[in-house]
Amino acid sequence: MEIIRDPKAMQEIAIDLFKRSRSVGFVPTMGALHDGHVSLVKASLHDNDETIVSIFVNPTQFGPDEDLDDYPGSIDEDTKRLKSLHLDYLFLPKKEDIYPQNYLTYVEVQGLTNRLCGLSRPTHFKGVTTVCSILFHLTLPTVAYFGQKDYQQTLVIEKLLKDLHFPITIKVMPIVRDKDGLALSSRNQYLSGNERISALRINQSLEKAEHLIHEGERNVYILKKAITEHLSKSKDIHIDYISICHPKTLIDLTQLTIGKVLIALSVYLGGTRLIDNRIVKLAN
Ligand code: PAF
């Protein structure tokens, strides 16, 4: 596994791979790697001639009161883990090389970013699309891998790729969960023992809503009420949002009539913000 820190060196390697018609899978991460990230890396290694993983804790996607300074990091462990997967390239740029002094360029997808997570994190997606644009230019991937846990992020990236004509395909991999159903997230490390137990209500509440839908419930108010009631049984859970919406536009629904719906939610447990979602197919 080759470790590259300099963006220019990364781009030179990427150009060489492109000239040699090597297919390149790219997995952008912020480190603190868990089995969800590993599933993306394994998919890329399986699908492509070469795989590049980046680890970069991107400051522009954190709001002023968020956890940038405490974001979990374990470069040595992450490096060991990636080496054991026989990764080809690990890109570890420094903050000042991605955002040098007097950096002035931002990339923003509108509309989709004002809903769901965008309501409580109004600058988040602008940071994500900016850093992903930079990373895509440096790694020139054929395919970029993202996890469904960040469902809204995958839609925003898809739109970025389409609108700016990036010649990149996005591949979205399923959510990886612990045995007890909690979606894997680097931020799960912040949870206390009791918060970790309360967090199980997140997936349970999604399961409940899915079950109600399969039983024929089509009223979104009733579905949201069931989710809220289940979450609220743990006093340490504070709901940020619950959305039952169109899976492509993220526009909230009041009655379920279309083929598929997205149920997405975000909660705070102490200072930790966790998200999860489910796509539910409606039986005709
Ligand atoms: O999903 C993440 O970890 C980040 O948002 C990403 C895509 C690596 C951009 O910083």
Side-chain angles (χ1 to χ4, degrees):
M1 182 176 83
E2 190 172 338
I3 298 179
I4 302 113
R5 294 173 203 276
D6 175 33
K8 199 142 190 55
M10 181 70 259
Q11 199 177 46
E12 274 162 15
I13 289 171
I15 290 170
D16 176 60
L17 295 175
F18 179 77
K19 282 187 184 154
R20 292 194 286 120
S21 301
R22 305 285 287 169
S23 68
V24 174
F26 175 49
V27 185
T29 81
M30 298 206 299
L33 302 181
H34 50 67
D35 286 350
H37 296 110
V38 168
S39 76
L40 306 183
V41 177
K42 282 188 173 163
S44 175
L45 287 167
H46 173 266
D47 297 346
N48 299 284
D49 298 329
E50 311 278 349
T51 293
I52 304 172
V53 172
S54 65
I55 297 180
F56 179 66
V57 181
N58 172 38
T60 63
Q61 70 188 74
F62 290 80
D65 301 324
E66 293 183 353
D67 54 342
L68 172 63
D69 293 336
D70 309 319
Y71 197 79
S74 49
I75 283 294
D76 291 347
E77 261 177 55
D78 288 349
T79 306
K80 245 191 242 159
R81 196 153 189 197
L82 292 168
K83 229 183 219 166
S84 75
L85 295 172
H86 305 290
L87 175 70
D88 304 293
Y89 301 98
L90 172 58
F91 181 38
L92 290 176
K94 288 205 213 79
K95 190 174 102 188
E96 56 273 26
D97 289 333
I98 296 295
Y99 298 113
Q101 259 196 352
N102 204 28
Y103 182 90
L104 292 172
T105 305
Y106 292 85
V107 181
E108 187 171 20
V109 172
Q110 298 183 337
L112 278 176
T113 55
N114 300 333
R115 311 183 199 288
L116 279 64
C117 292
L119 292 172
S120 51
R121 307 187 77 191
T123 57
H124 170 68
F125 289 110
K126 184 171 162 186
V128 170
T129 41
T130 297
V131 81
C132 284
S133 301
I134 298 168
L135 293 170
F136 292 155
H137 285 305
L138 295 175
T139 57
L140 307 177
T142 322
V143 190
Y145 292 79
F146 289 85
Q148 194 203 307
K149 190 176 77 62
D150 297 301
Y151 183 89
Q152 187 175 10
Q153 172 170 274
T154 66
L155 283 192
V156 170
I157 295 291
E158 216 167 26
K159 193 75 180 105
L160 168 81
L161 296 177
K162 185 164 192 292
D163 286 354
L164 296 190
H165 299 271
F166 279 96
I168 301 171
T169 307
I170 179 171
K171 192 150 182 191
V172 179
M173 301 302 293
I175 298 176
V176 179
R177 298 180 181 279
D178 265 336
K179 280 198 193 74
D180 54 14
L182 181 65
L184 297 189
S185 161
S186 304
R187 289 189 168 101
N188 290 351
Q189 297 183 28
Y190 297 146
L191 300 173
S192 68
N194 284 338
E195 286 169 348
R196 175 74 182 61
I197 292 167
S198 297
L200 298 182
R201 291 194 175 276
I202 300 170
N203 181 48
Q204 288 165 1
S205 70
L206 293 171
E207 268 174 1
K208 262 185 198 299
E210 182 171 12
H211 179 71
L212 286 172
I213 294 172
H214 287 149
E215 297 275 287
E217 186 55 69
R218 295 290 180 266
N219 183 316
V220 168
Y221 173 79
I222 291 173
L223 293 167
K224 280 190 183 176
K225 191 161 167 270
I227 296 173
T228 305
E229 279 173 5
H230 190 71
L231 291 172
S232 303
K233 282 185 189 148
S234 286
K235 294 291 164 255
D236 50 357
I237 292 184
H238 296 278
I239 298 170
D240 176 22
Y241 70 79
I242 299 166
S243 176
I244 299 185
C245 59
H246 189 288
K248 287 287 171 208
T249 62
L250 303 183
I251 292 175
D252 277 324
L253 302 167
T254 50
Q255 193 71 20
L256 307 187
T257 51
I258 54 166
K260 277 182 190 171
V261 288
L262 170 71
I263 313 176
L265 61 82
S266 154
V267 304
Y268 289 96
L269 265 159
T272 308
R273 186 174 178 279
L274 298 178
I275 56 173
D276 202 348
N277 68 78
R278 253 200 181 40
I279 300 273
V280 181
K281 210 168 165 204
L282 305 181
N284 292 322

